[in-house]
Amino acid sequence: MDRLDGGCALPLGIQVRVEVECAHTPFSPGDVLLVVTDGVTESTPFFGCADSKLIRLLVDSAPFGVHRVVDFVLDASHEDGAVPRDDTIVLAIQRTR
């Protein structure tokens, strides 16, 4: 499992011109790319343990298919009645071939 760190940046659309760094990493058949915004990682249930919690959710949701990864992450971000304080975006993509 690899973590692709996007660093800290302003939200898209704030600035007219944006410089980005490109990176390459292998993405083999069966691999899953999970992208979440800080609305997930900074929510109360994830605070201080976002990486380990996301890894656990990926492992736990694997038997159900990639389409359930998003449900698992969103459900976890609302654990114990927590309400995210920021926008929440979760995207899961799996390479099939």
Side-chain angles (χ1 to χ4, degrees):
M1 189 154 318
D2 295 323
R3 183 180 200 279
L4 306 176
D5 190 4
C8 295
L10 292 172
L12 290 175
I14 298 290
Q15 296 177 317
V16 176
R17 298 184 193 279
V18 179
E19 290 187 33
V20 296
E21 292 182 34
C22 293
H24 299 272
T25 191
F27 193 57
S28 302
D31 286 354
V32 174
L33 173 66
L34 176 64
V35 179
V36 299
T37 60
D38 61 350
V40 172
T41 59
E42 294 175 1
S43 67
T44 303
F46 282 84
F47 193 75
C49 62
D51 286 354
S52 60
K53 190 160 189 149
L54 288 169
I55 290 168
R56 183 178 53 80
L57 290 168
L58 277 170
V59 171
D60 291 351
S61 64
F64 304 102
V66 70
H67 59 282
R68 291 299 315 275
V69 172
V70 172
D71 294 333
F72 273 62
V73 173
L74 289 175
D75 289 348
S77 70
H78 291 91
E79 279 178 357
D80 299 324
V83 178
R85 297 177 303 234
D86 200 353
D87 62 297
T88 302
I89 298 172
V90 180
L91 173 68
I93 301 170
Q94 183 173 35
R95 181 171 174 192
T96 57
R97 304 182 218 174

